[in-house]
Amino acid sequence: MGTPFADMTEIDRLVHDPSRLAITSALSACESADFLYLQRITGLSKGNLSSHLAKLEKGGVVKIDKTAERRPRTVVSLTEPGRTIVAEHWDRLVRLHEAARAWVPSEA
């Protein structure tokens, strides 16, 4: 194992992107959320949110359900593997942070 700083390069970039981390973190606190709610709490534009959700869906992290009742509605939820990925990602960040704070460099 290298330094904690070198280990940070192994972070899952799919969920680590700041916008996607905001989306997945919000979803990890609930069963599901609609598109407008996610847009409001993340501050992302419709296009940006759609783009990030598409990437997360392609990676199997989120499930997107669209209904066309009276008004179209898009509901997003983490998949079971997605919940695991997000939880493990946060655990890894905490461990890396702790290791970085405790790291004492060897003499150069």
Side-chain angles (χ1 to χ4, degrees):
M1 183 166 121
T3 70
F5 311 103
D7 293 341
M8 287 180 193
T9 62
E10 312 242 340
I11 287 176
D12 184 343
R13 293 178 192 270
L14 177 63
V15 295
H16 191 68
D17 172 89
S19 296
R20 293 191 289 269
L21 189 57
I23 293 165
T24 57
S25 295
L27 290 171
S28 69
C30 59
E31 189 174 318
S32 64
D34 72 8
F35 186 91
L36 295 175
Y37 175 77
L38 289 173
Q39 184 183 10
R40 188 171 62 250
I41 66 169
T42 62
L44 296 170
S45 68
K46 287 180 183 180
N48 266 342
L49 181 55
S50 291
S51 175
H52 287 297
L53 288 175
K55 289 175 185 176
L56 290 167
E57 183 179 42
K58 184 177 180 183
V61 177
V62 301
K63 178 182 174 204
I64 301 173
D65 292 311
K66 296 184 179 195
T67 59
E69 296 166 4
R70 289 184 220 157
R71 293 184 294 170
R73 184 169 184 232
T74 301
V75 177
V76 184
S77 58
L78 287 173
T79 61
E80 283 305 314
R83 283 201 181 275
T84 301
I85 288 167
V86 173
E88 287 175 353
H89 183 73
W90 277 109
D91 288 344
R92 183 176 193 156
L93 288 178
V94 169
R95 285 192 315 273
L96 287 171
H97 177 83
E98 290 169 353
R101 290 186 64 173
W103 186 71
V104 177
S106 59
E107 289 187 45

